[in-house]
Amino acid sequence: MIGNGKQKGSTSASGQQSWRALAGAPKSTRVKSPQARKRRQNQLFKLFAIFFVSMMLIGCVVWGVIAFKNRKEPIQITTPSKPVEKVLFDTNGVLPSSWLGTVIELRRDTTMMEIDIYKMKQQLEAHGQVVSASVQREFPNALKIEIKEEEPVMRMRVVGRDGKPELRIVSREGTIYQGVGYPQATLSQLPYLVPYRHPEGGFKPLLGIDKVAELLEVARRTQPKFYRTWQLVSLEHYSGDPELPGEVIEVRSPMVPRLIFGFNTSFEQQLDRLSVILKYVQSRGNPAIKRIDLSLPGSAAVQFVSGRISTF
């Protein structure tokens, strides 16, 4: 018998002799199921799509830069503008549409967007007869111009550059301008003005003309026949401040050579008193009157050519 019983079944191998040790460590294996393969394909597709979009964006930017540097024609930002084909002109006064050509320049090929409407407005308002002007584009091809004119109340003669007398119009605001478009019938109804001469010389600016215009308007409304005989308004004693003592407006006409209005009472009351005086004089055979002073507080003084003076 070879050996003893204690060594029965033994071998010459040493160390741990288990089944797990003999089989070795477990190896990691990739799951090869259809679901796993599909997930991997989706991930690859997403990465490819991101890469493709990035390359497209980079390509567009590069192309835009190159095209901008190499462009030969300017980029059109606004839409093409049509030429002005008609001018819509409107005014509250007498200026004719032909007057526009003497103030503004408008070429036949001028487009709507080439017009500087603000500059054109300033050019129109620089004219003495214009109080305000409105200039608007009426697309597609019209220009709308609206004018507000001065209101004429009197006329005056001035010495022109050539030494000859020239006619000027005086507005309610005291503006002196060369009237354009007024009919002769309108001008003939305006009395002439002798302006106030300032101590330092000269006539402008004319102040307080709104009070003169008020007197003329009341006379035109209440005594139209007598008003039509008013030939001249003298402001020799009216500086434009009705609050100053001694300030009067003098009117001259064939019926009454000198007619004095003051500011102590309303023009309506003074004209009412004048109407009473004229009726009284007419009832006495119309003796020639030299002067009627309505500026006295509460009364009026009438000086006749004969030298007699009556108080009313």
Side-chain angles (χ1 to χ4, degrees):
M1 183 174 186
I2 301 174
N4 53 30
K6 292 181 181 182
Q7 296 177 344
K8 185 177 179 180
S10 64
T11 65
S12 59
S14 62
Q16 187 176 359
Q17 301 296 323
S18 66
W19 172 258
R20 292 181 180 278
L22 293 176
K27 298 181 180 180
S28 60
T29 59
R30 179 180 295 179
V31 180
K32 297 182 179 181
S33 65
Q35 293 81 0
R37 286 197 300 270
K38 188 173 182 180
R39 284 196 298 269
R40 288 195 296 272
Q41 289 174 355
N42 289 339
Q43 291 175 353
L44 290 174
F45 179 79
K46 290 180 180 179
L47 291 174
F48 177 79
I50 293 173
F51 176 78
F52 180 78
V53 172
S54 300
M55 294 303 295
M56 288 292 293
L57 291 175
I58 294 173
C60 291
V61 172
V62 173
W63 178 84
V65 172
I66 295 174
F68 181 81
K69 291 183 177 180
N70 296 333
R71 78 189 192 281
K72 295 182 180 180
E73 296 294 333
I75 299 175
Q76 183 75 27
I77 298 177
T78 59
T79 57
S81 177
K82 291 186 176 182
V84 178
E85 296 182 1
K86 54 184 176 180
V87 177
L88 308 176
F89 178 68
D90 186 31
T91 177
N92 68 335
V94 298
L95 286 171
S97 57
S98 58
W99 164 82
L100 286 174
T102 65
V103 181
I104 60 176
E105 182 180 358
L106 194 63
R107 303 188 311 273
R108 297 180 65 88
D109 58 343
T110 302
T111 63
M112 294 286 289
M113 298 309 298
E114 286 179 335
I115 298 174
D116 189 340
I117 60 176
Y118 302 104
K119 180 179 179 181
M120 187 174 293
K121 171 182 170 67
Q122 292 177 348
Q123 291 174 333
L124 293 169
E125 291 180 344
H127 193 274
Q129 192 165 332
V130 177
V131 176
S132 62
S134 171
V135 182
Q136 296 178 339
R137 299 184 183 93
E138 294 283 339
F139 291 99
N141 57 0
L143 187 67
K144 185 177 181 181
I145 297 178
E146 294 181 337
I147 298 293
K148 180 181 178 181
E149 298 184 32
E150 295 279 5
E151 179 185 351
V153 293
M154 291 175 287
R155 51 181 170 164
M156 64 181 295
R157 293 195 180 277
V158 299
V159 178
R161 295 181 180 179
D162 56 357
K164 296 181 180 179
E166 296 180 358
L167 184 66
R168 292 291 184 270
I169 306 300
V170 180
S171 74
R172 177 180 289 270
E173 287 72 28
T175 303
I176 301 175
Y177 59 95
Q178 185 176 1
V180 177
Y182 291 109
Q184 186 58 41
T186 300
L187 295 177
S188 62
Q189 294 177 6
L190 301 177
Y192 281 98
L193 171 67
V194 176
Y196 175 79
R197 183 180 290 274
H198 294 275
E200 63 274 11
F203 298 108
K204 294 191 294 184
L206 297 179
L207 304 177
I209 300 300
D210 57 328
K211 298 298 293 184
V212 182
E214 179 185 347
L215 169 61
L216 299 178
E217 176 59 32
V218 174
R220 184 188 300 111
R221 185 180 68 251
T222 59
Q223 301 184 30
K225 292 184 179 180
F226 182 50
Y227 171 77
R228 284 195 288 268
T229 68
W230 290 15
Q231 298 176 335
L232 186 143
V233 176
S234 174
L235 304 183
E236 295 178 76
H237 303 288
Y238 176 53
S239 64
D241 187 356
E243 300 299 326
L244 291 177
E247 297 282 288
V248 295
I249 300 173
E250 183 174 332
V251 175
R252 299 173 187 174
S253 75
M255 293 179 60
V256 183
R258 299 185 63 188
L259 185 59
I260 311 299
F261 292 90
F263 299 96
N264 293 318
T265 56
S266 68
F267 294 137
E268 288 85 351
Q269 290 178 332
Q270 294 180 66
L271 287 167
D272 287 342
R273 186 173 288 117
L274 174 63
S275 178
V276 173
I277 292 172
L278 293 178
K279 290 180 180 178
Y280 174 82
V281 171
Q282 185 178 11
S283 67
R284 293 295 186 270
N286 283 328
I289 299 174
K290 183 177 181 179
R291 167 185 168 135
I292 299 179
D293 190 350
L294 300 165
S295 66
L296 304 176
S299 63
V302 180
Q303 181 181 5
F304 295 91
V305 175
S306 62
R308 181 169 59 94
I309 297 178
S310 299
T311 303
F312 292 84

